[in-house]
């Protein structure tokens, strides 16, 4: 079973008066059940005052390179696809794939926030719900959320945050169908938006799912939370230093809210960058930036002051110690 050792290297808690008590209680933390093993001091802390690891564009690991492009894809990409469909599909997939672990593997790795971009394919008479990031996924929303619900049955003290957004190609009746399906999948595990959830509160009521639904169709449903603020620059940022400056400036100037929010460590490429680096990939771009991004994570604190973080989301969450470093923030 995967675990992390949160004891500070080279220090003996028994001889160091400054050693945080919480760290002493978090040795050998099993990642699939890390929330249930947090020290008691953190059980009554609001979830938005804890540090929670998340994945950006969670479902992009299963994009279908042969699918049609989303309607919001750049026009020049659509034109090229008409002439070179296989080549364009391959290139688009390389630049839109931001994860390589399945959602269950992400759960087992300790990820607890999931960025779910939902869409219906154009001209699909069945209006089946898929996920999308320029391309559409090979799996459906219902298949994926059913898997998550089953995983939660085996991890009754873990709480996940599912952020549903985008909804390209969905009409009002599609939203109504999807919203009706969600309680069928998760039942009493859904935490109502009127709650101020801590781990203990969730355990007492058997809540395991904070489900955010970023559309007005959800406004009258108590089990669906409003859109969770995701901090990422709408300007294209291709380096770690640009992303870090953006996040630091917002924390300093604006500060966090008193509810859930996400600091996004994801890089973004523009069309010019993509054309110059056509045969590279988002993975290569991200891995080159990770050392600087992880150093930023190590400097963060959680809590209710305006400079504190809550959820930190990244691409390719399984390739390094990102998840473990975010969890360690809870020991500060």
């Amino acid at each position: 079973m995967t675990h992390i050792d949160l004891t500070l290297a080279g220090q003996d808690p028994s001889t160091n008066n400054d050693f945080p008590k919480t760290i002493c209680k978090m040795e050998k933390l099993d990642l699939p059940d890390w929330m249930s093993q947090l020290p008691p001091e953190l059980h009554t802390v609001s979830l938005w005052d804890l540090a929670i690891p998340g994945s950006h564009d969670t479902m992009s690991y299963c994009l279908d390179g042969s699918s049609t492009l989303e309607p919001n894809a750049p026009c020049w990409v659509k034109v090229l696809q008409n002439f070179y469909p296989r080549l364009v599909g391959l290139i688009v997939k390389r630049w839109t794939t931001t994860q390589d672990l399945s959602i269950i593997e992400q759960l087992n790795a300790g990820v607890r926030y999931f960025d779910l971009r939902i869409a219906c394919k154009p001209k699909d008479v069945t209006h089946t719900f898929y996920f999308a990031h320029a391309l559409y996924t090979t799996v459906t929303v219902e298949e994926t959320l059913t898997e998550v619900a089953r995983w939660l049955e085996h991890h009754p003290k873990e709480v996940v945050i599912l952020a549903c957004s985008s909804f390209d190609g969905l009409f009002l009746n599609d939203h109504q169908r999807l919203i009706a399906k969600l309680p069928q999948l998760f039942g009493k595990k859904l935490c109502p938006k009127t709650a101020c959830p801590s781990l203990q509160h969730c355990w007492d009521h058997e809540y395991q799912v904070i489900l955010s639904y970023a559309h007005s169709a959800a406004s009258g449903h108590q089990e669906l939370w409003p859109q969770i603020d995701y901090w990422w620059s709408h300007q294209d940022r291709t380096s770690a230093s640009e992303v870090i400056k953006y996040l630091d400036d917002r924390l300093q100037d604006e500060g966090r809210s008193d509810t859930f929010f996400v600091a996004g460590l994801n890089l973004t490429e523009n069309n010019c960058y993509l054309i110059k680096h056509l045969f590279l990939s988002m993975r290569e771009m991200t891995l080159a930036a990770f050392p600087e991004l992880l150093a930023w994570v190590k400097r963060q604190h959680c809590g209710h002051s305006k400079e504190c973080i809550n959820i930190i989301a990244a691409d390719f969450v399984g390739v390094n110690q990102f998840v473990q470093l975010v969890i360690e923030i809870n020991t500060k």
Side-chain angles (χ1 to χ4, degrees):
M1 183 176 289
T2 307
H3 70 266
I4 55 175
D5 187 344
L6 295 186
T7 302
L8 293 180
Q11 293 189 344
D12 180 358
S14 63
T15 60
N16 185 354
N17 293 330
D18 295 326
F19 196 91
K21 293 180 181 180
T22 51
I23 292 182
C24 304
K25 300 178 183 180
M26 293 180 69
E27 285 190 61
K28 300 185 184 298
L29 195 66
D30 293 322
L31 289 176
D33 296 288
W34 69 265
M35 283 182 156
S36 65
Q37 297 169 60
L38 288 176
E41 297 93 320
L42 300 179
H43 293 177
T44 55
V45 173
S46 298
L47 293 181
W48 45 72
D49 289 334
L50 294 179
I52 298 173
S55 62
H56 165 248
D57 263 308
T58 299
M59 298 302 297
S60 61
Y61 64 86
C62 59
L63 293 174
D64 181 0
S66 64
S67 79
T68 57
L69 292 169
E70 272 195 287
N72 59 7
C75 291
W76 67 270
V77 177
K78 293 179 183 178
V79 171
L80 281 179
Q81 192 187 44
N82 291 331
F83 296 97
Y84 310 103
R86 287 189 178 182
L87 178 61
V88 171
L90 176 64
I91 293 171
V92 171
K93 186 175 180 179
R94 287 171 64 84
W95 279 103
T96 55
T97 296
T98 65
Q99 304 297 337
D100 47 20
L101 296 182
S102 73
I103 194 166
I104 298 303
E105 290 171 329
Q106 292 179 40
L107 282 162
N108 286 329
V111 176
R112 293 294 176 267
Y113 166 89
F114 300 92
D115 173 22
L116 304 175
R117 315 286 181 91
I118 296 174
C120 286
K121 295 179 180 179
K123 301 179 182 179
D124 179 5
V125 295
T126 66
H127 268 226
T128 301
F129 302 119
Y130 293 90
F131 303 98
H133 189 207
L135 300 166
Y136 297 91
T137 56
T138 57
V139 300
T140 68
V141 170
E142 184 171 351
E143 290 167 343
T144 301
L145 297 186
T146 298
E147 279 192 288
V148 172
R150 288 173 182 160
W151 187 91
L152 291 170
E153 291 288 341
H154 296 284
H155 303 271
K157 285 196 167 184
E158 297 303 295
V159 180
V160 299
I161 302 168
L162 306 179
C164 300
S165 67
S166 189
F167 304 116
D168 287 341
L170 273 70
F171 298 102
L172 181 58
N173 61 327
D174 295 315
H175 284 287
Q176 292 169 343
R177 277 195 304 124
L178 180 55
I179 289 170
K181 189 68 180 177
L182 297 173
Q184 296 175 27
L185 292 169
F186 294 113
K188 295 181 179 179
K189 290 182 174 66
L190 290 171
C191 176
K193 62 185 176 183
T194 53
C196 182
S198 64
L199 287 173
Q200 192 62 58
H201 180 82
C202 290
W203 296 340
D204 290 344
H205 295 83
E206 299 183 346
Y207 298 145
Q208 286 189 269
V209 181
I210 308 288
L211 206 161
S212 163
Y213 197 97
H215 193 274
S216 59
S219 60
H221 296 267
Q222 291 302 305
E223 72 278 12
L224 300 180
W225 290 63
Q227 182 173 7
I228 294 175
D229 196 12
Y230 193 115
W231 287 14
W232 69 282
S233 174
H234 292 275
Q235 298 178 7
D236 301 311
R237 300 185 187 273
T238 58
S239 71
S241 59
E242 291 174 306
V243 171
I244 289 169
K245 184 180 187 306
Y246 166 77
L247 293 174
D248 284 343
D249 286 349
R250 281 200 69 171
L251 284 170
Q252 181 66 36
D253 299 339
E254 177 183 336
R256 58 160 298 169
S257 64
D258 57 357
T259 185
F260 294 110
F261 90 103
V262 185
L265 293 185
N266 43 293
L267 308 180
T268 52
E269 80 287 353
N270 55 33
N271 288 338
C272 291
Y273 185 93
L274 183 59
I275 291 170
K276 289 179 182 178
H277 303 86
L278 204 56
F279 294 100
L280 294 180
S281 68
M282 179 58 73
R283 194 176 201 277
E284 292 166 287
M285 179 179 172
T286 301
L287 293 188
F290 250 133
E292 196 172 347
L293 295 175
L294 294 184
W296 180 85
V297 172
K298 292 178 183 178
R299 297 194 296 269
Q300 303 313 302
H301 293 78
C302 59
H304 57 268
S305 64
K306 78 169 195 173
E307 300 89 358
C308 289
I309 56 84
N310 173 212
I311 301 162
I312 304 179
D315 294 332
F316 303 103
V317 293
V319 300
N320 51 37
Q321 301 300 302
F322 164 74
V323 172
Q324 293 93 320
L325 290 174
V326 175
I327 296 172
E328 285 183 29
I329 296 172
N330 293 301
T331 67
K332 296 181 181 181

